[in-house]
Amino acid sequence: MGADTSLRDRFEHGLAAPICLTWELTYACNLACTHCLSSSGRRDPLELSTSEAKALIDEIAAMQIFYINIGGGEPMIRRDFFEIVEHAVHQKVGVKFSTNGTRIDASAARRLAAIDYLDIQISIDGADAETSDRIRGAGSYAQARRAMDHLKDANFGEFKISVVMTRDNIGQLDEFQALADHYGAQLRLTRLRPSGRGVEVWESLHPTREQNRQLYEWLLEHPQVLTGDSFFHLSALGDPLDGLNLCGAGRVVCLIDPIGEVYACPFVIHDEFKAGNVRESGFAHVWRESPLFRSLREPGNPGACASCGSYDACRGGCMAAKFFTGLELTDPDPECVFGHGETALDARRVVLRPTPSPDHSKSVAVRLVSRKSLV
Amino acid sequence: MSLSTTDVFDPSARWQLSGQVSLRDEAFGALAYHHGNRRLVFLKSPELVAIVRGLSQYSSAHEAINAFVEPSSHERYVVALASLFRSELLCGR
């Protein structure tokens, strides 16, 4: 199914509640992936307490948000992880959670398998240990595979294998599919964003133009593969990819971070895209009334893309990808399939990239080199 | 692929919204989510939402449609309900 343009126009004005609500439960993580969107590592002392988390779920249920995407950090590190998940599913708020799998042993797998309305995404970033561990750290691939084995043994059913597409792994698409088939799992591919620590590796790891074309064609041939509407910037290559094909930030998508800050999407954890905090006014109020979200629901400004015949297909691409590469939001996507983004980047003698606002990286992780701030 | 009888939507039969489905009103109509198969479906008109919500009160889908829309639109709503049936949002009663 292609994009339904009349519906897409409605979605641009925003919905009564998000469709896709991501909630990062904690900034704590036992891995230190080089492309981490949320610069996770250390727990933030101000993270929502168990009772605050439950109250937030009650509000989510009252807003009839059908499911939440839980991430982190590594969400299973929180001691109240199961308590929070069970509180949600008991109110028929489905949970889809992303994990590195390190905490899924045989007993956790059995407990997860017993919960209705729960989906699991296990992350790997290569079809072999060497490729994946370069991004996610030594031993992480083996641990993810062990988690998959445990889920299979516990008859969890169809879990998801989640992969961020990079220059190093786009050649492994068929191997990822074979791995998913081996487990009876679903493959989920998402776009590498220059967000969080990803800002440091994006330049060297984002797919080349040729690889993006290869990915686009592979996705058209494999419509069962999930993408979370991640690659809509590639729809300018021809037939639209499955999905809404629009930037949903603040319209159908948003992010709640571990300390209750609400951001326009999971890829823009930065002060510029902060809409409010659930502790101050509740989530519904932020979603409905925040001036930032209201402005994101205004018709988009095609900017430099206005004269391009493909604007209707890609809508100028991803706001976060532009922002963190130092482009204007009215510029083309840095990975514009026609190369207009590269031209826009080249045209800047000095590219001022914003500094990620909160950074919870562990000090042992690669320190970010100092960068000029936008302000 | 041949269709068995259970694959076919019969608009003269009694129907209801599946107990696994939640509806959320939106300006364009409603969102429907099936908690079992995880499908998210868009009901693109308030009339369709009214029909779907009212299905269990009528002795057939035809009757439910007649209660909410003009006869000239009838067939369009049969098609829409058949599509919801294929997504497992509707079940017989």
Side-chain angles (χ1 to χ4, degrees):
Chain A
M1 183 194 77
D4 181 322
T5 48
S6 68
L7 203 56
R8 183 168 73 174
D9 292 343
R10 300 284 192 148
F11 282 10
E12 286 197 333
H13 302 303
L15 298 183
I19 292 177
C20 183
L21 170 62
T22 299
W23 179 13
E24 314 284 37
L25 271 194
T26 177
Y27 279 118
C29 193
N30 51 349
L31 298 186
C33 305
T34 60
H35 60 9
C36 181
L37 296 167
S38 53
S39 303
S40 284
R42 290 170 293 114
R43 192 183 87 85
D44 191 299
L46 296 177
E47 289 181 5
L48 299 184
S49 66
T50 307
S51 59
E52 285 175 316
K54 286 182 171 176
L56 177 57
I57 290 167
D58 295 344
E59 196 182 9
I60 286 168
M63 290 173 77
Q64 291 187 281
I65 296 170
F66 305 126
Y67 57 87
I68 49 178
N69 304 289
I70 285 182
E74 170 49 52
M76 292 186 79
I77 282 186
R78 267 190 78 132
R79 281 197 208 99
D80 54 5
F81 170 76
F82 278 101
E83 193 179 343
I84 289 171
V85 167
E86 281 160 1
H87 189 77
V89 299
H90 287 161
Q91 301 184 64
K92 263 190 148 179
V93 174
V95 171
K96 305 179 185 214
F97 86 94
S98 292
T99 175
N100 57 34
T102 52
R103 297 289 174 107
I104 302 182
D105 56 12
S107 112
R110 283 194 297 273
R111 188 163 179 188
L112 292 166
I115 302 175
D116 277 339
Y117 309 136
L118 177 72
D119 294 306
I120 302 182
Q121 299 173 5
I122 298 193
S123 302
I124 52 173
D125 287 317
D128 54 72
E130 195 196 337
T131 312
S132 191
D133 288 1
R134 266 205 299 276
I135 290 179
R136 309 184 61 81
S140 62
Y141 179 83
Q143 286 179 301
R145 290 292 302 268
R146 265 199 297 281
M148 294 179 202
D149 292 336
H150 287 312
L151 288 177
K152 192 177 188 197
D153 292 345
N155 292 317
F156 178 84
E158 196 178 51
F159 60 88
K160 298 177 179 76
I161 298 176
S162 199
V163 184
V164 174
M165 289 283 95
T166 69
R167 199 167 293 188
D168 288 350
N169 67 21
I170 258 178
Q172 301 181 319
L173 285 166
D174 291 329
E175 288 156 82
F176 286 122
Q177 185 59 58
L179 184 67
D181 292 344
H182 167 75
Y183 284 108
Q186 263 184 308
L187 182 60
R188 180 172 184 272
L189 306 177
T190 56
R191 181 178 179 188
L192 174 74
R193 305 299 208 296
S195 316
R197 285 197 296 270
V199 75
E200 293 299 309
V201 295
W202 181 84
E203 199 86 38
S204 56
L205 279 184
H206 79 84
T208 64
R209 245 203 283 171
E210 182 47 40
Q211 286 179 318
N212 269 329
R213 174 173 285 278
Q214 184 192 339
L215 172 63
Y216 167 78
E217 278 157 13
W218 194 88
L219 288 172
L220 285 183
E221 286 164 16
H222 297 81
Q224 82 284 3
V225 171
L226 307 170
T227 63
D229 220 1
S230 208
F231 299 106
F232 68 93
H233 64 303
L234 303 183
S235 287
L237 284 166
D239 291 331
L241 295 168
D242 202 3
L244 291 171
N245 286 294
L246 76 105
C247 166
R251 295 162 163 162
V252 298
V253 172
C254 77
L255 170 91
I256 303 175
D257 93 338
I259 61 173
E261 305 281 20
V262 182
Y263 294 93
C265 90
F267 316 111
V268 285
I269 302 183
H270 189 280
D271 287 345
E272 291 235 354
F273 298 97
K274 194 191 288 179
N277 190 299
V278 300
R279 275 186 172 125
E280 285 150 24
S281 50
F283 173 64
H285 181 81
V286 177
W287 176 260
R288 289 172 194 147
E289 307 298 339
S290 120
L292 171 72
F293 284 1
R294 284 172 170 256
S295 74
L296 288 172
R297 292 164 193 164
E298 298 293 316
N301 174 2
C305 300
S307 59
C308 176
S310 294
Y311 178 73
D312 203 44
C314 79
R315 299 275 165 136
C318 172
M319 183 176 82
K322 299 179 206 193
F323 180 73
F324 285 114
T325 49
L327 292 171
E328 300 292 330
L329 300 187
T330 49
D331 277 333
D333 189 289
E335 288 181 80
C336 163
V337 297
F338 304 117
H340 299 317
E342 291 158 46
T343 310
L345 280 171
D346 290 345
R348 279 149 209 272
R349 199 169 299 161
V350 183
V351 177
L352 296 176
R353 290 213 223 121
T355 313
S357 297
D359 186 353
H360 294 80
S361 304
K362 288 176 186 158
S363 49
V364 291
V366 181
R367 286 307 306 161
L368 301 180
V369 292
S370 64
R371 257 175 285 108
K372 286 171 194 154
S373 165
L374 266 185
V375 264
Chain B
M1 190 175 72
S2 69
L3 294 174
S4 72
T5 49
T6 53
D7 291 329
V8 178
F9 176 70
D10 175 6
S12 58
R14 291 168 181 269
W15 295 98
Q16 63 184 5
L17 191 62
S18 160
Q20 289 258 69
V21 174
S22 298
L23 285 186
R24 181 174 103 202
D25 288 320
E26 289 288 349
F28 60 83
L31 293 175
Y33 183 69
H34 191 296
H35 291 273
N37 66 25
R38 318 293 206 253
R39 279 194 191 152
L40 183 68
V41 176
F42 309 111
L43 308 188
K44 288 183 251 178
S45 80
E47 291 78 13
L48 181 58
V49 181
I51 292 165
V52 166
R53 285 221 160 94
L55 270 180
S56 63
Q57 312 293 316
Y58 295 89
S59 59
S60 74
H62 281 312
E63 274 191 32
I65 296 171
N66 288 338
F68 295 100
V69 300
E70 296 299 311
S72 58
S73 307
H74 190 96
E75 194 48 38
R76 203 151 54 83
Y77 284 91
V78 171
V79 171
L81 290 180
S83 162
L84 298 181
F85 166 75
R86 283 192 301 275
S87 298
E88 302 170 47
L89 267 66
L90 308 183
C91 56
R93 65 185 162 92

